[in-house]
Amino acid sequence: MKPALPAPSAARTLASLLLAAACSLPAWAGDKVVYHVNDTASQALATLRNIRNHLDTDPSAEITVVTHAFGVDFLMEGMKDRNESPFDATVAALKSRGVKFEICEITLKNRNLKREQFIQEADFTPSGVVRLTKLQKEGYAYIKP
């Protein structure tokens, strides 16, 4: 006859349940991602579409968009895409879903731009390149559409 196994403790049972629940979650849930945009004409529309699709698939993703050089243009007041649709409505919708949009202040200085020229959904970072580096060091996946 086999010896009886000891009854599991409440703590061990809880730990087992938590581990099982964590293992049943998709591996991609809760992604942390930084999208890099340095050219509005070739990247902005695709970036916004990719982000919308990303959030539709993984609503818990933490997404930051870092812009510099000519990538800041889609965040300027009154800017429209090649279909003449304003960017600001799409950016506002994504911002309401938790997406952060950041503009490089070095770009502002180099291009003689002012903060007041940008939509209210945009935030500013001292250096776009430094911000990209820091986010990657914090575990953010890097995407450049």
Side-chain angles (χ1 to χ4, degrees):
M1 178 171 262
K2 293 182 182 178
L5 295 174
S9 70
R12 191 180 324 161
T13 301
L14 180 59
S16 296
L17 289 172
L18 289 173
L19 181 60
C23 290
S24 67
L25 291 174
W28 41 261
D31 288 343
K32 296 188 327 182
V33 181
V34 59
Y35 283 80
H36 175 193
V37 179
N38 66 339
D39 182 58
T40 289
S42 66
Q43 294 174 293
L45 203 54
T47 298
L48 297 173
R49 184 176 49 249
N50 288 348
I51 293 169
R52 185 185 63 235
N53 292 341
H54 195 144
L55 289 172
D56 287 349
T57 303
D58 180 9
S60 65
E62 293 178 40
I63 298 176
T64 300
V65 180
V66 176
T67 65
H68 67 97
F70 291 101
V72 306
D73 293 6
F74 80 98
L75 296 172
M76 295 179 79
E77 288 283 353
M79 284 298 293
K80 296 180 180 179
D81 65 25
R82 62 178 168 256
N83 302 317
E84 292 299 310
S85 298
F87 281 111
D88 62 350
T90 304
V91 171
L94 292 173
K95 178 89 173 184
S96 74
R97 295 177 74 181
V99 178
K100 297 174 186 170
F101 292 86
E102 299 184 7
I103 298 167
C104 172
E105 291 177 330
I106 293 173
T107 294
L108 297 184
K109 181 182 173 195
N110 290 343
R111 293 184 56 200
N112 294 314
L113 300 171
K114 305 284 181 228
R115 285 178 175 229
E116 298 77 33
Q117 293 176 267
F118 293 89
I119 60 177
Q120 66 182 2
E121 290 80 11
D123 294 314
F124 298 87
T125 187
S127 168
V129 174
V130 170
R131 183 70 172 141
L132 287 166
T133 303
K134 287 183 185 268
L135 288 171
Q136 288 178 77
K137 284 179 141 184
E138 292 174 17
Y140 279 69
Y142 173 85
I143 297 177
K144 185 171 184 186

